Amino acid sequence: MRHRCTISLVLALFILVLHLSNAQDGDKGSKPEDYVCQHNCIRRVLNLPPLKWDAEVEKRAIAWAEKRKVDCELIHSEGGGENLAKGYITGMQAVQMWVDERPDYDYAKNECTAMCGHYTQVVWKNTTKVGCARRKCNNNEDWIVVCNYAPPGNYIGQYPY
């Protein structure tokens, strides 16, 4: 009988821990370390210096995500060095969407064959800092993801790396 009580208690604790770990799913894949890791994966492939999370850059992303969550429109803020995404996505998925533009960048010609400006910002060699935010849109369907970069990249005529 005592053995059954112990097993029941262990099982109940396991279920509680599992439930509590899933309670944070809204942030899963959208923590600072998730964004940094996802950015630095492609940067490592290209032998670029890693990005570091920056609280000041994050504040800019938070402010813009708060403003944009009202209508969930992908409208850029002033100042450049910004990537936007929306949908039922995590922060890591947004960064991966931007990285997936890589085939549309022709390095030899330093031009995009389709949309690739998000990708070139992710891999901009002189960019050293990133800060991102993810907010639920007021439509209760989509999330908006904003990443800001310092110093900004995507200067016309310059190669990203």
Side-chain angles (χ1 to χ4, degrees):
M1 183 73 169
R2 188 173 184 181
H3 182 66
R4 284 187 186 160
C5 285
T6 303
I7 290 174
S8 296
L9 181 60
V10 169
L11 185 59
L13 287 172
F14 174 76
I15 291 170
L16 178 63
V17 168
L18 185 63
H19 173 74
L20 290 174
S21 68
N22 287 332
Q24 297 300 319
D25 270 352
D27 292 336
K28 195 172 189 176
S30 299
K31 295 179 180 152
E33 59 269 20
D34 298 326
Y35 288 104
V36 170
C37 181
Q38 197 74 4
H39 278 85
N40 286 338
C41 186
I42 186 63
R43 292 177 70 87
R44 196 172 11 248
V45 168
L46 298 171
N47 293 313
L48 298 170
L51 297 181
K52 295 194 181 334
W53 189 262
D54 185 84
E56 289 303 310
V57 178
E58 177 190 22
K59 285 179 188 175
R60 188 170 157 229
I62 290 170
W64 197 245
E66 285 292 328
K67 181 174 177 110
R68 294 280 37 111
K69 77 178 187 179
V70 174
D71 59 12
C72 212
E73 292 295 321
L74 297 179
I75 299 169
H76 285 282
S77 65
E78 299 292 323
E82 181 175 79
N83 281 344
L84 305 172
K86 79 172 183 179
Y88 190 72
I89 56 172
T90 66
M92 288 179 70
Q93 290 169 329
V95 177
Q96 188 60 52
M97 284 173 38
W98 303 328
V99 170
D100 287 346
E101 294 176 2
R102 183 180 185 189
D104 299 324
Y105 176 65
D106 184 337
Y107 187 83
K109 294 180 181 177
N110 190 29
E111 66 183 26
C112 297
T113 58
M115 183 173 298
C116 76
H118 303 100
Y119 165 73
T120 54
Q121 177 58 76
V122 168
V123 299
W124 198 264
K125 185 176 184 176
N126 294 333
T127 296
T128 58
K129 301 172 189 173
V130 65
C132 304
R134 177 176 172 256
R135 295 292 184 268
K136 183 78 165 176
C137 295
N138 287 358
N139 67 13
N140 280 326
E141 294 175 17
D142 297 315
W143 292 83
I144 188 155
V145 177
V146 179
C147 284
N148 287 106
Y149 303 86
N154 283 347
Y155 291 101
I156 296 172
Q158 292 184 22
Y159 280 81
Y161 52 90

